[in-house]
Amino acid sequence: MDDDWGPIPLSRLSHAGFCLRRAALLTNEQIWKESADTAKGRAEHERVHAQRIERRGETAKLYEFPVFSHTLGVAGKCDCIEAQTDARGCRIPALDFPARLYPVEYKHGEIRAEREYEIQLCAQAMCLEEMFQTSIPEGAIYYITSHRRYSVPFTEELRNLVKETIHKIELFRRSFSIPPAEKEAKCRACSLREHCRPGMQRSASNYCHELRREAMERDVE
């Protein structure tokens, strides 16, 4: 990664997985608007999170643990890392025993599989692997509202998707570009829809296309 550029926030990968244009607006135009859902999610995170370590027997939970990867060019925090005593595990400064690490990402709402959250979680695991020279095959996403979680295997496909997502973010942040809007059903749930205006952008694009078509027809005549 170029020294003139700071690391990409891990949370930005989740935004890019949801919508590349949304991630670009956040990155290049610093646009953010709170919605009822984002406010509730943030409040739930604040209630359960603070940087701390909870030790119980041969296990520990590390909350708000900072991670980074020089190779990937990303940095951020893990909501929670569950550490289980394992003689073949890694050593980290926060613990006095070798441990097997299991990252857990906290999300608002009811349990559901969301690829963008899996990308963010896998990137956290890849950071931990680089930092502590270990292997992490799996993690989990915990949904605060439903008090349930599901496991996420860190497959080769998902790891490649993490790298592809980072590459796409690097492209638009270094070129200061904003990807075009693509109106989809998920736009209704986006807090940035008033700034993005996907419907208006498509209409303008269609209008310009129609003008070009008419001009070409006149030239043929």
Side-chain angles (χ1 to χ4, degrees):
M1 188 176 64
D2 195 307
D3 291 340
D4 292 336
W5 294 85
I8 296 171
L10 283 168
S11 59
R12 197 58 45 84
L13 274 65
S14 177
H15 289 292
F18 176 77
C19 173
L20 202 60
R21 178 175 172 81
R22 175 186 174 92
L25 288 171
L26 290 168
T27 302
N28 294 338
E29 297 189 6
Q30 303 294 302
I31 291 175
W32 174 251
K33 184 177 181 181
E34 191 101 284
S35 68
D37 283 339
T38 59
K40 185 175 181 181
R42 179 174 52 78
E44 288 179 342
H45 265 76
E46 289 174 352
R47 282 199 298 271
V48 299
H49 289 345
Q51 190 169 359
R52 66 188 189 279
I53 299 174
E54 293 181 358
R55 177 78 181 266
R56 294 181 181 177
E58 296 188 342
T59 65
K61 290 184 178 181
L62 295 79
Y63 292 94
E64 291 290 284
F65 191 84
V67 296
F68 63 88
S69 167
H70 292 304
T71 302
L72 297 175
V74 297
K77 291 183 178 180
C78 293
D79 285 343
C80 177
I81 301 172
E82 297 178 353
Q84 175 70 45
T85 300
D86 188 335
R88 296 172 298 177
C90 63
R91 287 278 186 177
I92 66 175
L95 301 174
D96 59 2
F97 57 86
R100 182 174 66 254
L101 306 181
Y102 191 88
V104 180
E105 177 70 12
Y106 285 66
K107 294 299 180 185
H108 160 67
E110 301 296 329
I111 188 168
R112 61 195 184 279
E114 299 283 1
R115 198 57 164 171
E116 61 265 27
Y117 296 160
E118 295 174 1
I119 292 171
Q120 180 182 358
L121 179 67
C122 185
Q124 294 173 9
M126 293 168 75
C127 287
L128 289 167
E129 289 176 334
E130 181 178 321
M131 291 170 64
F132 302 115
Q133 300 300 298
T134 188
S135 176
I136 303 176
E138 185 180 288
I141 297 176
Y142 177 81
Y143 282 88
I144 300 170
T145 304
S146 58
H147 302 289
R148 295 177 62 195
R149 72 183 189 179
Y150 74 91
S151 61
V152 179
F154 300 137
T155 63
E156 194 65 28
E157 177 188 2
L158 183 55
R159 290 171 182 270
N160 287 334
L161 188 53
V162 169
K163 296 175 184 176
E164 290 171 12
T165 302
I166 292 171
H167 178 65
K168 290 177 181 178
I169 294 173
E170 284 289 358
L171 287 178
F172 70 61
R173 80 164 180 164
R174 289 174 182 269
S175 63
F176 298 101
S177 61
I178 305 293
E182 296 182 9
K183 190 174 182 181
E184 300 181 41
K186 64 184 179 183
C187 295
R188 293 194 296 269
C190 181
S191 61
L192 300 187
R193 61 185 179 276
E194 293 302 320
H195 295 281
C196 178
R197 302 291 180 89
M200 181 180 295
Q201 290 227 351
R202 176 168 291 187
S203 297
S205 177
N206 290 340
Y207 175 70
C208 292
H209 177 75
E210 185 63 22
L211 288 178
R212 287 195 297 271
R213 186 185 64 79
E214 291 177 357
M216 291 177 64
E217 288 177 353
R218 285 196 298 270
D219 289 342
V220 171
E221 294 173 357

